[in-house]
Every structure is written in C-alpha cells, then in structure tokens.
Amino acid sequence: MSLISCRFYEDKFPEIDSFVMVNIAEMGAYVKLMEYGNIDGMILLSELSRRRIRSIQKLIRVGRNEVVVVLRVDKEKGYIDLSKRRVSPEDIVKCEERYNKGKMVASVMRHVAEKTRTPMETLYQHIGWPLNKRYGHAVDAFKLSINNPDVWSDIDFPSEAVKDELQSYISKRLTPQPTKVRADVEVTCFGYEGIDAVKTALRTAEAQNTAETNVKVKLVSPPLYVLTSQCLEKETGIKTLERAIEGVKKEIEGQRGSCIVKMAPKAVTESDDAELQDLMAKKERENAEVSGDESESESDEGPVQGDI
C-alpha cells in the first residue's frame, strides 16, 4: 500500500450515473479519476459535447480537471466510460464541493501518514471510510470533533501515535477562524447638539453587542467612521453590521442628521486592515501638523488660527 496516496472512497470503482472529478491525460479523451486513486477512464468522443466538435484540443485541455458522469464500469477489465456532455452546471457545483471535501481529508491523511509512517489506505480503512458512513463525510466529522470528542469513540485507531497526530493536526488546521467584516459610514449632524447626537448614534451600533456579534466603531477622520465585527460566519457578520447601520441611521436622522454608507458591509482581508491603518496614521499625522502650526503662531498677537 502506498504511504501517501489512496482513493477517497471505500469502493474501488464509481457507481454508474455518479459524477466524478477527472484529470485530462495526455492522450486526448483519456482521463484519470482523481477520487479513485487515479484509475484510468475514457470520455467517449460522442459524449464530449452536445454541439458539433470542431477541435477536441479546445474542448478538453490536457492537465485540466473536469466533472464527468459515469456511463459504464467493467470492474474485471477496469474499463470506465464517461460522459462530459451529460453534466449540468448544478452537477458540476455539487461534484466540486464533494471533491474539495475529499481533497481536504486526503491532505489530513497524507500528513498523518508521513508523520507516523502509516500507509494512507490503512488510515482510510480505520478512520476515513467509517466516518464517511456515520457522518456523511469524514471532513464533517473532523470539524465536529474539535468541540465533540465523542466522534472518536467508535474509531479503531491503528496506533496511539496516529490518534494523537490526527487530533492535533485537525485542531490546528480545521478550527474555524473568525472572519472580520467592515463597513465605512459618514455620520454628520449640524444641529445645536450635533457632536453629542453623532456620539449617541454611534453608540447604538455597539448597544446590542453579544459575544458572537461584537461591533466596534473607530474614527478615521470626521465625519468618516469604520464599523467592524468579527464572527465565525461571514453572513452573520454582514447582517450584524447592516442592523447596526440601520440603528445609527434611525438615531441620527431623528436629530436631523445623516448617515451615508461609503462602503457596504463586507469581509475584509489583512491587506484591507493595513490600508485602513495607513489611512488612520496619515490622518493623525495631518492633525499633528496642524497642531504644530498653531504652536508656532502662539507668539503672534492676534488670535491663533484653528482655535475654537
């Protein structure tokens, strides 16, 4: 058995009418079934496309991954006939999702195999395939095990070293990381108590904070403010900021002010955060330069420019 390669599923061959991910081999319509240990298959020329074929090379490119459907399987001879033209866009999405899950499990198994010198097929036999049966997919069981150790209660690990390495690696790699969501708004109020009105309105964004939906407000430079939230689900964070902005709008408009969304809530990356920090630092330097100009003019007899 190979140390670092194995099929994703217990069955050595795919079922007829199932959708599989293949990699186009060098010989035109000959392919490798990536989920089944790279066994050979062939896309029949009549099953390449619903349209007239002008160039096979343009239709299927060597080295490219494709989703195809299984037409026939001869387990004795190892022949697998496949079709590309019978695959719908919906089928492609579902197959890609399943394949990506399987690829993640394979990556985990490969790591454990290399660390413990245990063949991958042994790991699949004892861990991967039993979890597929019980939880639908081993990757779902892996994620569940982070907070629920009972997932492993019926698993017969090949060794304690395998158990320790697997649980440690899953904890490091699959623990959900919080997503940061951000929105930029301009809040203004030119009434008699405008400053207090803006402060009160922005406080409403943080008024409904919980451990799961925590909103923070930062000043970039009046009237621009940044609202941020961190949570495990991106959609939850977006909805949280949308509710916060609605609360700010309602409060400030009640004081005859306005709240304009300059950037709608969206998930941001570290580079976005770095750009925001650079912008805030730039505004801070500009304010510091103004303060310095004022101090130099203190010797003048007239009122200093910028004094309130």
Side-chain angles (χ1 to χ4, degrees), residues 114-242:
E114 290 175 338
K115 289 291 184 180
T116 63
R117 308 304 297 174
T118 305
M120 277 187 68
E121 187 165 339
T122 299
L123 296 178
Y124 271 102
Q125 288 172 346
H126 286 260
I127 304 167
W129 296 334
L131 290 178
N132 281 345
K133 291 179 180 178
R134 294 171 196 168
Y135 295 92
H137 205 291
V139 74
D140 297 325
F142 287 173
K143 293 178 181 179
L144 182 63
S145 71
I146 295 172
N147 297 315
N148 184 8
D150 292 342
V151 169
W152 308 118
S153 60
D154 296 328
I155 296 299
D156 179 23
F157 289 96
S159 67
E160 283 297 316
V162 167
K163 179 180 179 180
D164 293 341
E165 186 62 38
L166 177 65
Q167 292 178 347
S168 174
Y169 190 64
I170 287 174
S171 179
K172 291 177 183 176
R173 181 171 177 184
L174 299 184
T175 298
Q177 298 298 319
T179 299
K180 189 169 187 178
V181 181
R182 170 183 150 196
D184 297 354
V185 295
E186 285 188 353
V187 184
T188 56
C189 182
F190 299 104
Y192 181 72
E193 297 181 349
I195 295 177
D196 291 335
V198 170
K199 289 181 179 179
T200 301
L202 292 172
R203 287 193 186 104
T204 63
E206 301 178 345
Q208 305 298 322
N209 277 353
T210 65
E212 292 77 19
T213 57
N214 190 24
V215 178
K216 294 183 179 180
V217 180
K218 289 184 180 180
L219 168 66
V220 178
S221 179
L224 181 62
Y225 298 85
V226 171
L227 279 62
T228 59
S229 178
Q230 283 192 334
C231 52
L232 296 179
E233 296 292 336
K234 181 180 73 172
E235 294 303 321
T236 301
I238 290 175
K239 290 179 181 179
T240 298
L241 288 191
E242 287 174 346

Side-chain angles (χ1 to χ4, degrees), residues 290-291 293-295 297-308:
V290 171
S291 299
D293 292 341
E294 292 173 357
S295 61
S297 60
E298 287 178 357
S299 59
D300 297 342
E301 294 182 359
V304 179
Q305 182 179 6
D307 283 351
I308 299 177

Side-chain angles (χ1 to χ4, degrees), residues 22 51 86 137 235 238 250 262 288 293 303:
V22 301
R51 301 177 181 179
R86 305 190 192 195
H137 205 291
E235 294 303 321
I238 290 175
K250 183 177 180 181
K262 303 300 290 184
D293 292 341

Side-chain angles (χ1 to χ4, degrees), residues 83-100:
S83 170
K84 184 176 184 292
R85 73 181 184 91
R86 305 190 192 195
V87 179
S88 70
E90 293 78 13
D91 298 327
I92 293 175
V93 171
K94 291 179 181 178
C95 184
E96 287 179 343
E97 288 177 353
R98 188 196 68 234
Y99 172 69
N100 288 332

